[in-house]
Amino acid sequence: MRDPILALDGLDKSFGALHATRQVSLDLRPGEIHALIGPNGAGKSTLIAQIAGTLKPDRGEIYLERQALSSLSVAERARLGLGRSFQVSSLAEPLSVLRNVMVGVQAVQGSSYRFWKPIRSDADLVEPALRAIEQMGLGHRADTAVSDLSHGERRQVEVACALALKPKALLLDEPMAGLGPEGSAKLTELLEGLKTRVPILLIEHDMDAVFRLADRISVLVDGEVVAHGDSEAIRNNPHVREAYLGEEAC
Amino acid sequence: MTSLESHIPSRSPSLGRRPLSRETVIGWGLILVLVAAAVFAHLAGEPFYVNLASRIAIVALAGVGLNLALGFGGMVSFGHAAFFGIGGYVAGIGAFHAFDQSPLFGLSGLPAGSDLMPVLWLSALLVCGLVAYAIGAISLGTSGVYFIMITLAFAQMIYYFAVSWPTYGGEDGLPIYIRNSLPGLDTNNPLVFFTLCMALLGLALFLTQRWMNARFGAALTMARLNETRLATAGVEPRPIRLAAFVISGMITGVAGALFADLNGFVGPSMLSWHRSGEIMVIVILGGVGRLCGPLAGAILFVMMETLLGGLTEYWQLFLGVVLLAVVLFARGGVMGLLAGRERYA
C-alpha cells in the first residue's frame, strides 16, 4: 500500500471533563476521498481544528507526508500543502473571487513582502489563481465580488482557495452544508474530478454525497472512531446504524 | 468551460492599464488645489497662508501614515502622536546640538547634532521605525479596544518621558532657533518649505498606492478583511500587520519632523493623546482606507480650525458636529462623498 499523505496518530483532546477526541488515528492515502461522519457533537469540528492548527491536541501527532505538524501554525501547515475549507465559508466578501484565491498563490510562491509590482498585472499570480478557479467551474465569475455570489458558488470559491495552495491534502469541512440538491450534486461532481489530483478528507452530513464520493468512511461518535471501512461496510455496520444513520439508511 | 488561454485575453481590462478612476482624479484635484493656493498666497505676499498650506500637507502626511495602519490594516492606533512627536523631537534635538556644537544627548563619543533635513528625516524614520516595532510587537497581540488602549498607553508613556526630561525643555518644549536646512535650498522661504512638505506627501501617497497594489497590500487587505482566510492561505497575519504598523509609524514620524520645523518648536503637546485623536479625526473625516482621504481630511480640518477658530473659540463643537455627520451619514468620509463607495479590483 502507498504511504498515506495525511496521518493522524492517536490524537487526544479534552476540554475539562469533556473528552472531545479519544485516541483518533486515521489516514488519507493518495487518490482517495476519506469521509469522516458522525452525529452532531461527535467531535468532528474539534478534530478538524486540530488538523488545521487552530487547536492543539493534548496527545498524539499529525503527519503530512511524514512531517509532524503539531508545532506548526495554521499558515505554516497551509504552506506545506494542507488546504482546507470551512463549515461556514470564510472569505473576504468585498474582494473578487480572483483576489481571494490569489492570496493563496502568493503564499505558496514564498513572499508577501513585495512592495512594488502590482498584483493585477502579475501573471505568475493571476494565472495559477485562474486555473484553480476554473477547476471549480467558476471561470466566468473570477472578477465578481464574493458578496455577489450565491451560497453554492462561495463553497466552490473556498475549495478554489484551497486548490491555489497546490495542496497535498484537502480538508473539507461540510462543503455541502446549506446547499440545495442541485448545488450539492454539482459540488459532488467537482470533488469527484478532484480526488485523483489531491486526496480529500471530507467531513460531511449529506449522506448521498458521502456514499457517492467516499472510498473509505470513518465514523466518529463521542470523539472516538467507532467504525471504519468502505461505504458498503459502513452502511451495513449495525453499530453505525444505531449510533448515527438511524432511519435514514434502513 | 473556456480554456485558460482563451480566457486570459478577455480579462484584459484588469490586466492592462486601467482608465483613471474617479478617486485618482479627485486626489490629483486636491493636490493641485493645495499647490495652487500656496503659490497664489506666495504671489500675493501672504506667507501666513503659505504656511497654512504647509501645515495641511504635514498633517495630511501624518494622516497618510496612520491611514496605512488604521485604514488599510484595520489597526485602530490611538497612539500615533508618539511617532509624530518623536519625529518632532528628532528634528528639535538634532538642531539643538547642531546649534550648540555639542554631541548628541551631551554624551561625548556620540556624533554631533545635525541641522540637515535629510539627516533628520532619516533619523526620524529610523527612530520611529524602531519604536513602532517595539510598540507593534507587543500591541498586536491584542485587538479591538485593547489595541486602542495599549497604543494609547505607550504614547502616554513617551509623553510623560518627554515632560520629565529637562535637557530638552521638559514641559516647556524645545525651540528650534534656525530652521533646519537643505543644501541648495532656502528652507526659510515659506514656498520652498511648502514644496518640500508637498514633495514628501506626494512621495508617501505614491508609495502607499504602490504598496497596496502589490503583494504586501493584498496580504494586508486580507489581514483586515478576514484574518482566518489569510492564515488558511498560508500567510502569517501578524508579521504583515507589524510591517504595516512600522511603516505607518515611520511616515507619521517624518511628518512630525516637518511639523517641528514649520513651527520652529517641538514640545510635549506633539506627543499628547489629543494629537493622536486629531490625526485619527483627519483620517476619518477624509475617508478611512482611501488613499487621498487624509489629504481631504487635513484640508477640511485645518480650514475649519482656521476659519471657525477665527470666529469662535468653540470651533471644535462644529468639528464634532461635522465628524458626527461623517460617521453617521458618510461612512466613506469626504472621499466617499466625492468618489463614491470604495471598490476593490
Side-chain angles (χ1 to χ4, degrees):
Chain A
M1 196 189 297
R2 281 185 288 178
D3 273 347
I5 302 284
L6 182 72
L8 316 187
D9 182 21
L11 283 193
D12 215 273
K13 177 85 189 168
S14 300
F15 301 99
L18 178 69
H19 205 165
T21 306
R22 299 167 195 257
Q23 288 297 317
V24 171
S25 296
L26 50 83
D27 62 18
L28 182 65
R29 299 180 197 132
E32 75 166 351
I33 292 184
H34 187 157
L36 186 66
I37 62 174
N40 282 328
K44 302 188 296 286
S45 299
T46 309
L47 190 61
I48 281 275
Q50 291 170 72
I51 302 172
T54 45
L55 271 182
K56 221 173 152 48
D58 296 337
R59 272 182 300 282
E61 186 54 88
I62 303 144
Y63 298 93
L64 183 67
E65 286 192 324
R66 291 162 182 270
Q67 166 144 26
L69 294 185
S70 63
S71 60
L72 302 181
S73 71
V74 174
E76 284 168 322
R77 293 176 200 212
R79 284 200 299 275
L80 282 177
L82 185 66
R84 78 165 290 191
S85 78
F86 293 86
Q87 195 174 348
V88 178
S89 70
S90 180
L91 297 162
E93 301 257 333
L95 298 186
S96 69
V97 172
L98 187 62
R99 285 282 305 262
N100 269 279
V101 177
M102 272 194 323
V103 173
V105 179
Q106 107 181 17
V108 171
Q109 289 180 357
S111 182
S112 289
Y113 297 91
R114 294 192 198 161
F115 295 83
W116 201 248
K117 191 172 181 184
I119 48 169
R120 214 177 288 111
S121 56
D122 191 343
D124 291 342
L125 217 47
V126 174
E127 282 175 26
L130 277 178
R131 225 170 286 133
I133 295 168
E134 301 252 336
Q135 269 180 41
M136 290 314 291
L138 280 177
H140 59 295
R141 299 290 255 169
D143 283 331
T144 311
V146 167
S147 52
D148 293 339
L149 296 183
S150 72
H151 184 68
E153 286 171 323
R154 288 177 198 214
R155 291 277 165 202
Q156 286 160 259
V157 177
E158 285 246 327
V159 181
C161 286
L163 285 177
L165 294 169
K166 293 195 186 138
K168 295 180 181 124
L170 275 185
L171 201 59
L172 303 186
D173 192 0
E174 302 202 16
M176 316 287 178
L179 292 188
E182 206 175 310
S184 182
K186 185 172 180 193
L187 194 54
T188 305
E189 197 177 306
L190 287 167
L191 294 184
E192 216 163 20
L194 216 54
K195 73 171 184 182
T196 50
R197 263 172 291 198
V198 46
I200 300 173
L201 183 62
L202 178 71
I203 286 79
E204 188 48 69
H205 260 304
D206 180 337
M207 284 303 133
D208 289 337
V210 167
F211 285 126
R212 179 164 162 204
L213 282 171
D215 299 287
R216 289 189 295 154
I217 300 176
S218 294
V219 183
L220 199 67
V221 177
D222 289 335
E224 201 171 4
V225 176
V226 296
H228 175 94
D230 61 17
S231 40
E232 200 58 30
I234 295 297
R235 240 190 256 265
N236 297 324
N237 184 322
H239 194 58
V240 173
R241 293 169 70 127
E242 182 212 339
Y244 180 48
L245 294 175
E247 297 170 344
E248 197 181 335
C250 295
Chain B
M1 202 186 297
T2 49
S3 75
L4 191 62
E5 287 67 28
S6 68
H7 187 71
I8 280 190
S10 72
R11 296 184 39 79
S12 55
S14 39
L15 282 174
R17 226 182 153 70
R18 300 184 316 156
L20 284 179
S21 72
R22 199 163 153 196
E23 184 147 1
T24 314
V25 173
I26 290 169
W28 278 110
L30 292 173
I31 291 173
L32 286 179
V33 166
L34 190 56
V35 170
V39 170
F40 183 77
H42 182 74
L43 292 178
E46 293 276 7
F48 172 79
Y49 289 104
V50 182
N51 285 334
L52 200 64
S54 300
R55 189 178 148 83
I56 290 176
I58 292 167
V59 178
L61 182 60
V64 170
L66 179 62
N67 200 25
L68 188 63
L70 187 145
F72 294 114
M75 295 169 276
V76 186
S77 163
F78 197 19
H80 260 53
F83 310 119
F84 195 68
I86 288 174
Y89 271 98
V90 166
I93 292 172
F96 176 83
H97 289 294
F99 189 73
D100 254 16
Q101 300 280 317
S102 56
L104 280 178
F105 309 118
L107 300 172
S108 53
L110 284 179
S114 170
D115 57 1
L116 289 175
M117 283 186 178
V119 175
L120 296 169
W121 295 342
L122 287 176
S123 310
L125 282 174
L126 185 70
V127 177
C128 287
L130 290 173
V131 174
Y133 184 87
I135 294 181
I138 297 167
S139 310
L140 285 171
T142 66
S143 61
V145 173
Y146 300 99
F147 184 80
I148 299 176
M149 285 298 128
I150 200 167
T151 47
L152 172 64
F154 274 115
Q156 288 301 94
M157 276 169 54
I158 295 170
Y159 169 81
Y160 285 112
F161 183 73
V163 166
S164 57
W165 196 2
T167 319
Y168 301 116
E171 214 161 341
D172 298 329
L174 184 65
I176 299 177
Y177 297 113
I178 304 168
R179 187 173 277 177
N180 293 305
S181 62
L182 195 70
L185 290 175
D186 173 19
T187 51
N188 280 311
N189 178 324
L191 192 64
V192 170
F193 187 72
F194 168 78
T195 309
L196 283 176
C197 298
M198 208 58 212
L200 288 179
L201 174 64
L203 181 65
L205 286 172
F206 171 73
L207 289 175
T208 305
Q209 186 185 37
R210 208 68 217 194
W211 297 330
M212 289 314 297
N213 284 331
R215 291 182 182 210
F216 176 74
L220 184 62
T221 304
M222 196 55 94
R224 169 171 54 93
L225 293 173
N226 190 336
E227 191 176 354
T228 312
R229 166 54 51 205
L230 186 64
T232 309
V235 183
E236 302 284 0
R238 198 164 156 182
I240 291 279
R241 285 220 176 93
L242 182 56
F245 189 79
V246 168
I247 299 171
S248 161
M250 291 165 82
I251 295 174
T252 302
V254 172
L258 289 171
F259 196 71
D261 259 332
L262 174 70
N263 298 330
F265 172 80
V266 52
S269 70
M270 275 182 76
L271 289 161
S272 79
W273 64 271
H274 301 93
R275 184 69 65 180
S276 294
E278 196 177 296
I279 304 173
M280 198 187 278
V281 163
I282 281 161
V283 172
I284 294 171
L285 273 181
V288 174
R290 312 293 289 254
L291 182 68
C292 289
L295 178 54
I299 293 175
L300 189 59
F301 185 91
V302 175
M303 296 292 277
M304 283 182 70
E305 188 183 40
T306 311
L307 297 178
L308 292 175
L311 296 176
T312 162
E313 58 182 304
Y314 303 113
W315 72 276
Q316 283 173 330
L317 179 69
F318 297 96
L319 175 71
V321 172
V322 171
L323 192 63
L324 263 181
V326 164
V327 171
L328 289 176
F329 305 114
R331 293 292 290 276
V334 176
M335 287 311 284
L337 283 177
L338 295 176
R341 285 182 67 102
E342 190 173 16
R343 272 185 298 272
Y344 297 92

